[in-house]
Amino acid sequence: MSEPLLEARELVKHYGSVEALRGASFTAYPGEVVSLIGDNGAGKSTLVKCLSGVERPTGGTLLFEGEPLELTSPTDARDHGIETVFQDLAVAPDLDPAANLYLGRELRKPGVLGWLGVLDKHEMRKRAAEHFYRLGVSLQSIDVPIAALSGGQRQSVAVARSVAWASKIVFMDEPTAALGVVQRERVLDVIKRVRDEGIAVVLISHNMPEVLSVSDRIEVLRLGRRVARFKGPDTSVEELVGAMTGALTQEDAA
Amino acid sequence: MSTVPESKTNGETTLSSEDEGHTSLAKRLAGANTLWIGVVLLLLIAVFGAIRPDAVLTTFTLQTTLVETSVLLVLAVGMTFVIITSGIDLSVGSVLVFSGVTSAMTMNAMSGGDATKAGWGVVWVGLLVALVSGAAWGLLNGLLIAKSKIPPLIVTLGSFGAALGAGQLISNGSNVAGVPEVLGNTLGTGTYLGIPNLVLLAAVVAAIGALLLTTTRFGRYTYAIGSNEEAARRVGISVTGHLMKIYLLAGVLAGLAGFMAMAYFRVASVTGHDTDNLNAIAGVVLGGTSLFGGAGSVVGTVLGVFIPAVLRKGFVILGVNVYWQPIAVAIVLVAAVWFDQSRRRARNQR
């Protein structure tokens, strides 16, 4: 495989006397879906927080495209092309999908009007429609508030938004939790399209069949350490569960 | 982002250019609340007009209704922004009083105790003092709400009392007379092409407010914060800074309203503004702005503030006991909020 896009080596994170990460490592390559799985309290969320700039690790190193990287804030991570889809839908329900897509990054009209802060709604709407189309996000109308959409569509918009701005890597924390079967398929479909554009997708999920169906690789965390790595297609639920619970260990994983 | 759409896969109905037709429909549906308020307002005018066409549909009646409402409209424009962020500002009426008092007293002090004969230079300084006084209270509200995270209801309930108290302390509890004649004759009671200047100024404020809210990034952030503050914060919007600006705007507009009221009555009054805040809130909510934040419009507010005004005027002309007016406003207000709530519930059920 090519050079890793993002590599965490021996990350340590303490919360007071609690050790959430005890030398956890993680690797993501460009253009792959890598799932991060583990039992509750294995350190998945903490690891993602460290990798997306929300938390700063207590120890260990982070390599981004082979260079050491220190993330000071989520904004800093975003500047590096790292986006995160949060577990709770972080969208503004009263705004339409295009407005949500461009929230915080609004396009302004050229010239004096733009200097006055006037938005170029037409351009944003046009580009948003193209973007949703490209990702296969189907919406009856792009002009209704997000609250009027179904749960799956809302999540698709949230995913599409992070993807729109992620040039390198997207973290998705349980993006399909609380979704129906059809809606889940739709979100997974979006994830695959994102990968096909050369962006790395890091998926955190508890749903083993889902992980197996969508992942190119799977990394398993247990008690704050990486305990196993699998190739997506040639593994089974039993193997994954074995690694998560400690019944199965790979010596070279950490 | 700018890549041209590629081929359609798995046969889903994706977005295409044909949904342009939906735009106008969706916009009309979204504006339905505003539309209904407009219909109610026109109905009220039509009913009163049909009963007493001789008294209602006269230039004088229309002019006085507009003038009496213009000060309230300026307060309500600021209140619209505040309520869209899911906040509230109870202090506007007191800030109006405070700003009028400081402005009038400054003008008097500049003219040796009585500014009645003062010139334009003094008037401009008076305007500046009124705006700065309003801005100071707005900034204080904003600091306590956005930075110290104290609920807006409590903060502005505090400044509601404090601003009125401060105004009365400065003026020794009495109205401040000596308002320059040039101000009263122009902004106060002057007209331009038959339209009172006060109304023109309020219309300009409302128009700028409407443009700010609907076309600019400032307006977009206002909606976003009211809709989901956490989402706004996560995409990197400075929520604290924006909320400060919103309460600052409401304060400045209250200062301007104080200057306008002083120009009209030719006295900086310390009484009679106790319920300005509630009237402004009622107008905003009647106009379809949601108390839950995230939705609303200045156009709706313009229609909303005129409903109580038209009711009052109509009752006076028809000889109905004027004490019925607040009862009628209350009924319309509760109905409007109930309508908004059930509409939201229906929308969020999916």
Side-chain angles (χ1 to χ4, degrees), chain A residues 78 91 94 117 119 121 193, chain B residues 9 214-215 217 227-228 234:
Chain A
R78 252 176 250 142
V91 291
D94 296 285
L119 303 173
K121 289 186 185 174
R193 287 183 191 226
Chain B
T9 49
T214 53
T215 67
R217 193 169 63 173
S227 190
N228 186 345
R234 282 192 203 168

Side-chain angles (χ1 to χ4, degrees), chain B residues 247-301:
Chain B
Y247 285 94
L248 183 65
L249 175 70
V252 169
L253 287 180
L256 178 63
F259 190 74
M260 289 166 71
M262 177 181 68
Y264 181 63
F265 294 111
R266 301 186 188 223
V267 63
S269 168
V270 293
T271 53
H273 294 283
D274 306 335
T275 57
D276 278 9
N277 51 4
L278 300 181
N279 293 336
I281 293 167
V284 170
V285 173
L286 280 173
T289 296
S290 171
L291 278 173
F292 306 101
S297 70
V298 172
V299 178
T301 296

Side-chain angles (χ1 to χ4, degrees), chain A residues 114-127:
Chain A
W115 182 77
L116 287 171
V118 177
L119 303 173
D120 195 341
K121 289 186 185 174
H122 181 77
E123 186 66 20
M124 284 194 276
R125 188 178 176 283
K126 196 176 117 228
R127 290 201 199 172

Side-chain angles (χ1 to χ4, degrees), chain B residues 15 40 42 67 80 121 128 134 146 160 184 190-191 269 283 322 326 331:
Chain B
L15 285 161
V40 168
L42 285 177
V67 166
T80 307
L128 188 70
F160 166 68
T191 61
S269 168
V322 84
I331 292 169

Side-chain angles (χ1 to χ4, degrees), chain A residues 78 86 88-95 99 101-106 108 116-119 121 124-125 127 129-134 136-143 145 147-150 153-154 161 164 186 189 193, chain B residues 1-10 12-16 19-20 22-24 26-27 212-218 220-221 223-224 226-228 230-237 293-295 344 347-350:
Chain A
R78 252 176 250 142
F86 297 97
D88 49 336
L89 297 168
V91 291
D94 296 285
L95 298 183
L101 187 70
Y102 278 94
L103 196 56
R105 293 176 165 109
E106 285 81 2
R108 284 189 266 173
L116 287 171
V118 177
L119 303 173
K121 289 186 185 174
M124 284 194 276
R125 188 178 176 283
R127 290 201 199 172
E130 285 171 4
H131 181 67
F132 289 134
Y133 183 93
R134 198 155 52 97
V137 177
S138 68
L139 307 167
Q140 304 93 325
S141 168
I142 200 164
D143 294 310
L149 302 177
S150 70
Q153 289 174 327
R154 249 178 275 177
R161 176 176 67 189
R186 200 169 278 170
D189 199 52
R193 287 183 191 226
Chain B
M1 281 305 303
S2 54
T3 322
V4 180
E6 292 146 30
S7 65
K8 237 187 228 188
T9 49
N10 61 18
E12 282 185 321
T13 48
T14 27
L15 285 161
S16 61
D19 71 321
E20 291 289 349
H22 289 287
T23 313
S24 55
K27 285 218 172 107
L212 187 64
L213 192 58
T214 53
T215 67
T216 69
R217 193 169 63 173
F218 185 86
R220 176 66 59 83
Y221 287 0
Y223 284 112
S227 190
N228 186 345
E230 187 55 32
R233 197 171 281 122
R234 282 192 203 168
V235 295
I237 296 173
R344 286 187 156 234
R347 189 190 71 182
N348 294 348
Q349 242 158 22
R350 290 196 57 184

Side-chain angles (χ1 to χ4, degrees), chain A residues 135 184-194, chain B residues 10:
Chain A
L135 288 175
R184 169 173 299 172
E185 284 308 315
R186 200 169 278 170
V187 172
L188 293 181
D189 199 52
V190 171
I191 290 175
K192 286 177 193 157
R193 287 183 191 226
V194 173
Chain B
N10 61 18

